[in-house]
Amino acid sequence: MAQKRIDYYGQFTPTGVDTSQAKRLQALSGLAEQVGDIAFEVGGRIQKRKAIEDASAEALAAAEEGRSPEIKEGLLSAISIYDQSFNQTVENAYINEVTSDIRSAVDRMNVESDGDYEKFKTNSKAYFYGTEENKGLLPSVDERFQPMLRSVYDEAFERNGTRVADLGRKRARAVAVDTTSNNIDTKLGQIDTESQEGDVAYAEQLLIEAVTSAQALEDAGDKKAGYADSIRKSGEKSLATSAIMREVRKSMDDNDFGTAYGLIAGA
């Protein structure tokens, strides 16, 4: 008898593929990728830190040597973490260092000028722009830094120049006040001498001049209130005393000692 062909295999279920090994490999691959990212980040940080340290040193050296800082250039620099960090840091650090030097130098020239504006202007411009004999700061740096540095210098020059000019005016005024005060004192001495032995009219003219000068100083605030009045009283006292002394001498010349004594006693 012929064997019956089997057309139906029933609920046969194939054995599933074991994917545990693939999953483990996938997990390890993800971990490796994560570790790689961390390593790249750490490496980038190290490169940036090294670039910042090197750039700071280069900026300081460039400022001290009066030159422009080194800049990393080229195709590789465009993708290099170190070069990009170096360039960003070196320019900022260099500008900060040089601007600080400019302000300090101009401040120092302010002090050294001691109120002499022309001296301050000559020295500060020679330092920044240079002279025929000496190269100044500005021509020594790269053109891309020049506008910013010129702005810093102009601000420092104007600020300090105003202080120098003010001090110069104060110094000049102080000298003028001292000179005028000395002239007033000299005239008071002349008044005393002239009123006793010379021309009384001239002595009176000297007193007018002395009081006028004293009043001008008082009005300008260079002397305290009442200064002019004290000069006037001092001069008037000299004139009055000299007038009495002239009469005393005349009485004594006339042998009128009683009158002379009376004048002295009254005085």
Side-chain angles (χ1 to χ4, degrees), residues 109 116-127 131 153 157:
M109 292 171 192
D116 186 339
Y117 182 80
E118 290 302 320
K119 178 181 179 181
F120 166 75
K121 181 172 70 173
T122 299
N123 290 344
S124 61
K125 288 188 178 295
Y127 154 77
T131 63
Y153 168 78
F157 178 83

Side-chain angles (χ1 to χ4, degrees), residues 153-255:
Y153 168 78
D154 289 344
E155 183 275 330
F157 178 83
E158 290 298 326
R159 173 169 47 83
N160 283 277
T162 299
R163 295 175 179 175
V164 173
D166 288 343
L167 179 59
R169 284 191 291 268
K170 290 178 180 178
R171 291 279 175 82
R173 184 59 187 171
V175 171
V177 170
D178 287 343
T179 301
T180 303
S181 298
N182 291 335
N183 288 338
I184 292 173
D185 292 339
T186 300
K187 286 179 179 179
L188 289 178
Q190 290 177 315
I191 290 169
D192 188 59
T193 302
E194 291 292 336
S195 61
Q196 291 187 41
E197 303 175 359
D199 188 346
V200 176
Y202 178 55
E204 292 174 345
Q205 179 60 38
L206 289 174
L207 178 57
I208 293 174
E209 294 174 2
V211 172
T212 301
S213 298
Q215 189 63 55
L217 292 179
E218 184 177 326
D219 292 342
D222 297 311
K223 295 291 184 178
K224 294 181 179 180
Y227 173 71
D229 190 51
S230 68
I231 296 300
R232 178 184 59 78
K233 289 179 178 179
S234 179
E236 289 177 347
K237 181 179 179 181
S238 294
L239 289 173
T241 302
S242 297
I244 293 173
M245 292 305 298
R246 286 196 304 272
E247 293 184 27
V248 169
R249 283 196 299 268
K250 183 177 182 302
S251 297
M252 293 179 67
D253 290 341
D254 295 339
N255 294 319

Side-chain angles (χ1 to χ4, degrees), residues 23-263:
K23 289 180 179 179
R24 287 197 298 272
L25 289 175
Q26 184 179 5
L28 290 174
S29 176
L31 179 61
E33 183 178 356
Q34 183 178 1
V35 172
D37 290 341
I38 294 173
F40 179 79
E41 183 179 352
V42 171
R45 290 178 181 176
I46 293 174
Q47 289 295 307
K48 286 183 179 180
R49 186 182 303 113
K50 183 67 168 60
I52 290 172
E53 292 175 355
D54 293 347
S56 299
E58 166 62 14
L60 180 59
E64 291 178 345
E65 297 168 10
R67 60 176 175 82
S68 295
E70 174 191 352
I71 301 297
K72 305 296 183 182
E73 298 178 335
L75 179 61
L76 294 178
S77 295
I79 59 175
S80 169
I81 294 176
Y82 175 90
D83 287 1
Q84 291 180 23
S85 299
F86 181 94
N87 289 345
Q88 291 173 0
T89 303
V90 76
E91 291 194 6
N92 292 335
Y94 173 75
I95 291 174
N96 289 338
E97 187 68 27
V98 176
T99 53
S100 177
D101 288 347
I102 291 173
R103 293 189 177 99
S104 296
V106 178
D107 286 349
R108 184 182 68 253
M109 292 171 192
N110 173 356
V111 176
E112 293 174 348
S113 68
D114 195 28
D116 186 339
Y117 182 80
E118 290 302 320
K119 178 181 179 181
F120 166 75
K121 181 172 70 173
T122 299
N123 290 344
S124 61
K125 288 188 178 295
Y127 154 77
F128 189 71
Y129 291 106
T131 63
E132 293 181 358
E133 296 79 15
N134 300 310
K135 188 177 182 180
L137 172 65
L138 189 66
S140 303
V141 303
D142 193 285
E143 290 184 356
R144 67 181 183 275
F145 300 125
Q146 291 186 5
M148 179 179 296
L149 297 183
R150 187 182 292 110
S151 176
V152 172
Y153 168 78
D154 289 344
E155 183 275 330
F157 178 83
E158 290 298 326
R159 173 169 47 83
N160 283 277
T162 299
R163 295 175 179 175
V164 173
D166 288 343
L167 179 59
R169 284 191 291 268
K170 290 178 180 178
R171 291 279 175 82
R173 184 59 187 171
V175 171
V177 170
D178 287 343
T179 301
T180 303
S181 298
N182 291 335
N183 288 338
I184 292 173
D185 292 339
T186 300
K187 286 179 179 179
L188 289 178
Q190 290 177 315
I191 290 169
D192 188 59
T193 302
E194 291 292 336
S195 61
Q196 291 187 41
E197 303 175 359
D199 188 346
V200 176
Y202 178 55
E204 292 174 345
Q205 179 60 38
L206 289 174
L207 178 57
I208 293 174
E209 294 174 2
V211 172
T212 301
S213 298
Q215 189 63 55
L217 292 179
E218 184 177 326
D219 292 342
D222 297 311
K223 295 291 184 178
K224 294 181 179 180
Y227 173 71
D229 190 51
S230 68
I231 296 300
R232 178 184 59 78
K233 289 179 178 179
S234 179
E236 289 177 347
K237 181 179 179 181
S238 294
L239 289 173
T241 302
S242 297
I244 293 173
M245 292 305 298
R246 286 196 304 272
E247 293 184 27
V248 169
R249 283 196 299 268
K250 183 177 182 302
S251 297
M252 293 179 67
D253 290 341
D254 295 339
N255 294 319
D256 187 358
F257 296 104
T259 299
Y261 177 77
L263 290 170

Side-chain angles (χ1 to χ4, degrees), residues 8-17:
Y8 177 66
Y9 291 93
Q11 298 296 324
F12 174 76
T13 303
T15 302
V17 177

